[in-house]
Amino acid sequence: MLAVLALMLSGSAMAQQRINKIVDELEQKGVDVNKVVKRDPKTKQILSTVKSFTFYSKEGKYANRLKEAFKKDAEDAVTETVSNHGNEYTLVFRDGKRRATYMLSISDKSNSKENNQTPRVYLSIDIREGGSSNFDWGTLNLDGIDSLQDHLSEYDWSKFDDAMAEWSEKFGRDMEKWGEDFSRQMEELDKDLKKSKAEKKLRKRDREKADSVVRQKKRTEAEPIARAKRS
């Protein structure tokens, strides 16, 4: 049983071993790293740790090694996302309530000869411990639901009420303005229709008047001929 337990623990630790090995090398070489640690204000327990590296990989050495490490460690990830011809990777690992997200982005080597020699690399590691109230919708499970409940219980719902009241007031104003605009458009449309009908009626009257003139002219021209026939 101890052997099985040791194997399980070692397997968990080895899940990202290839990536972590390269990360250790980068830190030892003095590559600039941004690190943010979030702790519980009461217990001082670490809730999350975020590391990010941005550097240019000479001759693409570390860029290629990281791509290969991501590709191999992906076998143990619960979520794997690959895009841009393998130059962008996102891996999510779960270990109990612990969640680790690894992100890799390498500049497109086809852009220029310079990029081909020294591609730009961005690497981010985001580790969330079980006590973190940061809920991840992408990994919804029972642990995530518990985390969401904790987060909701700590939320200041008075702010939510204020936000909803503000939204409702704004929505009411927008609807009122929309109603006024709609009424104005309908009035303009009604005016256009009335104007069109009046113009149509006027044209009809002009045509009838013109037809009447033509008929009267024909009758006037036909009278001498009719009298001549009668005589």
Side-chain angles (χ1 to χ4, degrees):
M1 290 177 64
L2 290 174
V4 171
L5 180 59
L7 181 62
M8 290 174 62
L9 291 174
S10 63
S12 175
M14 294 171 60
Q16 309 98 39
Q17 63 171 344
R18 297 174 182 86
I19 301 175
N20 288 337
K21 181 180 178 181
I22 299 175
V23 169
D24 291 339
E25 288 185 27
L26 292 173
E27 290 181 320
Q28 290 174 8
K29 287 182 176 292
V31 175
D32 189 28
V33 55
N34 292 323
K35 183 177 180 181
V36 178
V37 178
K38 182 178 179 181
R39 291 181 172 85
D40 187 297
K42 296 179 180 179
T43 65
K44 304 304 180 182
Q45 179 185 358
I46 294 178
L47 301 178
S48 65
T49 304
V50 179
K51 285 184 179 181
S52 61
F53 302 80
T54 302
F55 63 95
Y56 287 90
S57 176
K58 187 177 180 180
E59 297 179 355
K61 176 182 175 182
Y62 276 101
N64 292 329
R65 286 184 60 190
L66 282 168
K67 283 177 64 175
E68 188 65 22
F70 267 74
K71 184 177 180 181
K72 291 181 178 179
D73 284 348
E75 298 174 359
D76 298 315
V78 295
T79 304
E80 175 187 7
T81 304
V82 188
S83 60
N84 193 20
H85 305 289
N87 287 328
E88 293 182 5
Y89 254 101
T90 300
L91 302 179
V92 179
F93 301 90
R94 297 286 301 190
D95 181 13
K97 290 186 177 182
R98 194 182 202 218
R99 177 175 57 85
T101 303
Y102 287 69
M103 297 178 63
L104 174 67
S105 177
I106 301 173
S107 61
D108 190 353
K109 296 183 179 182
S110 63
N111 284 344
S112 66
K113 184 177 180 180
E114 182 181 353
N115 274 352
N116 188 41
Q117 294 174 346
T118 55
R120 184 173 181 272
V121 178
Y122 172 76
L123 174 64
S124 173
I125 303 172
D126 185 344
I127 299 176
R128 303 296 173 98
E129 305 296 340
S132 174
S133 62
N134 295 306
F135 179 70
D136 179 16
W137 291 99
T139 57
L140 179 61
N141 51 30
L142 293 178
D143 294 335
I145 292 174
D146 293 338
S147 178
L148 177 61
Q149 289 175 343
D150 294 339
H151 182 68
L152 293 178
S153 65
E154 297 172 358
Y155 184 76
D156 185 358
W157 288 101
S158 62
K159 294 181 180 180
F160 176 80
D161 294 338
D162 293 341
M164 287 301 297
E166 183 180 352
W167 177 86
S168 178
E169 184 179 352
K170 183 178 183 301
F171 180 76
R173 291 197 302 267
D174 292 342
M175 289 300 296
E176 184 178 356
K177 184 178 183 301
W178 179 84
E180 292 174 354
D181 293 341
F182 181 76
S183 298
R184 185 167 53 253
Q185 292 174 2
M186 291 302 296
E187 289 176 0
E188 292 176 357
L189 179 61
D190 186 56
K191 289 179 182 179
D192 291 340
L193 289 174
K194 289 180 179 178
K195 183 179 179 181
S196 178
K197 289 180 180 179
E199 291 176 349
K200 186 176 180 181
K201 186 176 181 180
L202 183 61
R203 287 195 298 270
K204 182 180 180 182
R205 188 179 64 184
D206 290 341
R207 284 197 302 271
E208 290 176 348
K209 185 177 180 179
D211 292 342
S212 176
V213 171
V214 171
R215 289 194 296 270
Q216 182 63 34
K217 183 179 180 181
K218 287 183 178 180
R219 285 196 297 268
T220 302
E221 291 175 349
E223 274 187 25
I225 299 175
R227 284 198 299 269
K229 286 183 177 180
R230 286 196 297 270
S231 62

